[in-house]
Amino acid sequence: MSRPAGLEPPRAVLFDWDNTLVNTWPTIVECYRDTFTALGLTPWTSAEVQDRAHGSLRELFPALFGPRAAEAEKVFYDTFLRIHLERLEPLDGAADLLAHCHAKGCYVAIVSNKVGDNLRAEVAHLGWGQWIAKAVGARDAARDKPAPDPIYLALDGTGIAPDENVWMVGDTQADLKSAHAAGCLPVLVGGAEQLTAALLEHPPRLRARNCHELVALL
């Protein structure tokens, strides 16, 4: 796969984190399981978590748990903080992708809905700070993805405008919607061959199956 003719190489590449560069679904599934169980609710299946757990907890949990949202969040993070570093698993080719972007002179940042301090702990744990200039997570900006605020924050101070020379790379509707809202180029990584109706609401301009294909696009 190669970059379409007429599309310039990016000046900046902003990556989602969970399940774009690292596989965290097992951790997320366990956190949701413990949360639902603690609140006396039937836990979601792994498939349900992967289908529904998109967005930041500060937006999702009030809708899911109502007045018990704060209690649910505490349970979730008690589990998360106990297991997230030891289970952190880079996706195949992710480190090479980041190194490639850095070598080409791209500004590289992370724009994630994982709480910022936890995100930065994971970046440091993997030793990827050598390639990543900034890591913006949930609660760092006034609003989280799918709002464009985290993208603006990631580019703040760089002199780089959020346009199609900035690629927002992610695996969910929130990533694509955020890219469209900011005016960046939306890039979808992973997922089924056929786009879902939800993804088509804010369609990607580029698609890649994995990190290796993203290197080819660059």
Side-chain angles (χ1 to χ4, degrees), residues 107-169:
Y107 172 77
V108 178
I110 305 299
V111 177
S112 171
N113 273 338
K114 173 167 282 173
V115 168
D117 288 345
N118 297 332
L119 169 66
R120 289 181 282 274
E122 293 187 357
V123 171
H125 181 75
L126 293 176
W128 287 359
Q130 59 185 311
W131 304 307
I132 296 167
K134 187 183 292 187
V136 176
R139 302 178 183 172
D140 289 339
R143 298 177 296 173
D144 303 323
K145 293 184 299 184
D149 305 43
I151 289 178
Y152 299 149
L153 183 57
L155 295 174
D156 186 46
T158 66
I160 301 172
D163 56 26
E164 74 168 14
N165 291 316
V166 176
W167 292 12
M168 177 66 227
V169 180

Side-chain angles (χ1 to χ4, degrees), residues 55-140:
S56 64
L57 263 60
R58 70 170 168 176
E59 294 181 352
L60 287 175
F61 273 28
L64 283 174
F65 303 111
R68 302 184 73 186
E71 178 187 355
E73 187 169 330
K74 182 181 185 306
V75 175
F76 184 98
Y77 281 118
D78 282 347
T79 297
F80 176 83
L81 292 171
R82 177 169 49 84
I83 67 175
H84 77 119
L85 291 179
E86 68 183 40
R87 298 194 186 181
L88 192 60
E89 178 187 1
L91 289 176
D92 186 41
D96 290 341
L97 170 61
L98 292 171
H100 181 77
C101 290
H102 187 266
K104 290 181 70 68
C106 292
Y107 172 77
V108 178
I110 305 299
V111 177
S112 171
N113 273 338
K114 173 167 282 173
V115 168
D117 288 345
N118 297 332
L119 169 66
R120 289 181 282 274
E122 293 187 357
V123 171
H125 181 75
L126 293 176
W128 287 359
Q130 59 185 311
W131 304 307
I132 296 167
K134 187 183 292 187
V136 176
R139 302 178 183 172
D140 289 339

